[in-house]
Amino acid sequence: MLFRQLFDKITSTYTYLIADTKTKNAALVDAVLEQVPRDLQVLQQLGLTLRYSIETHIHADHITGAQKLQEATGCLKILPEHASVNCADKKIKDGEILHLDSVEIKAIATPGHTDSHMSYLLNNEKVLTGDALLILGCGRTDFQSGDAGALFDSVTQKLFTLPDTTLVYPAHDYQGLTVSTIGEEKLYNPRFYGHNRNSFIELMNNLNLPFPQQMPVAVPANETCGSHK
């Protein structure tokens, strides 16, 4: 498996490139509109054919590059099963496996940050956690049908049951951290360690964070897979 972590500085978003090293078939997870030229260049440099553009959820802080990638490559747009969009070529269900030749991309429903959030387990060794589980943090739950109790259940019952050695790759990081493990997050993540469900809900309900600057533009755009320019 070829695996690359790409970064958008403005929104602190990670985009993940996954490919089968033999067939050169590839997928991008959580592409950012402004970074599509970079992504296409990387694909070309590595001789890859983009088959899928995959989303963990409907983002509020950036516009997805999915539509632009499809126009350039013919890739399929893959979104979580319960995402309220009509632009997906395929909606992936909890437990469903998307095969990229030798690479298995298993969808794990992890709602809470939004009501249709998916994480993706790659060959049982890496997990792309979107905004459900961040490095020493987690996504907010105060808009887009977020639910703190659901997020606690998703992380503790779905993600924290993966092997401790599973590598954690989130959709964002604001401190320059790039990767963690399930074992580290269970021990050191202050949003979860030492908390029960009720105390986690109380914590999340009192964060009082400002809304993302791009939210009024990003959410409607992402509901059409980034198709309006």
Side-chain angles (χ1 to χ4, degrees):
M1 174 172 58
L2 182 150
F3 182 80
R4 297 285 185 274
Q5 184 181 47
L6 307 167
F7 188 61
D8 176 65
K9 283 195 286 189
I10 292 175
T11 60
S12 297
T13 300
Y14 287 122
T15 296
Y16 295 97
L17 172 63
I18 308 149
D20 180 289
T21 53
K22 290 184 179 178
T23 66
K24 303 289 190 175
N25 287 322
L28 280 165
V29 179
D30 290 340
V32 176
L33 178 62
E34 291 80 3
Q35 297 294 347
V36 167
R38 174 205 64 191
D39 297 344
L40 292 173
Q41 185 178 23
V42 172
L43 289 164
Q44 184 179 22
Q45 286 173 344
L46 296 174
L48 303 175
T49 301
L50 189 65
R51 299 299 186 192
Y52 305 116
S53 177
I54 304 171
E55 305 290 340
T56 54
H57 61 293
I58 303 299
H59 301 273
D61 55 1
H62 70 269
I63 297 175
T64 176
Q67 181 63 33
K68 214 168 194 182
L69 285 167
Q70 184 175 61
E71 291 167 5
T73 69
C75 68
L76 298 180
K77 302 187 296 283
I78 311 292
L79 280 92
E81 178 184 15
H82 299 298
S84 56
V85 299
N86 296 316
C87 57
D89 297 300
K90 175 179 173 58
K91 287 191 174 181
I92 194 164
K93 300 177 181 179
D94 181 34
E96 188 174 350
I97 295 174
L98 195 65
H99 289 277
L100 198 62
D101 303 307
S102 67
V103 182
E104 281 192 356
I105 304 170
K106 182 180 180 181
I108 303 173
T110 45
H113 171 63
T114 70
D115 56 358
S116 61
H117 193 286
M118 283 284 183
S119 297
Y120 298 101
L121 183 63
L122 311 179
N123 282 0
N124 294 311
E125 61 186 42
K126 299 177 176 70
V127 63
L128 309 184
T129 54
D131 284 31
L133 180 63
L134 304 178
I135 297 173
L136 301 178
C138 65
R140 61 197 294 170
T141 57
D142 56 341
F143 58 76
Q144 286 187 282
S145 304
D147 184 318
L151 182 59
F152 184 84
D153 295 341
S154 292
V155 172
T156 59
Q157 296 174 23
K158 295 280 195 76
L159 298 178
F160 282 180
T161 58
L162 295 171
D164 284 353
T165 54
T166 307
L167 295 170
V168 172
Y169 287 96
H172 299 281
D173 192 85
Y174 306 97
Q175 274 76 48
L177 301 172
T178 57
V179 62
S180 181
T181 66
I182 290 295
E184 289 171 54
E185 294 307 313
K186 284 158 69 173
L187 281 174
Y188 304 121
N189 191 315
R191 293 277 176 91
F192 297 96
Y193 182 77
H195 281 284
N196 59 32
R197 196 176 192 273
N198 289 335
S199 66
F200 177 81
I201 292 170
E202 184 177 359
L203 170 71
M204 296 303 292
N205 287 347
N206 289 283
L207 291 179
N208 299 315
L209 298 170
F211 281 1
Q213 289 184 345
Q214 291 194 49
M215 184 175 171
V217 176
V219 171
N222 291 334
E223 288 172 346
T224 60
C225 295
S227 64
H228 77 252
K229 311 291 190 285

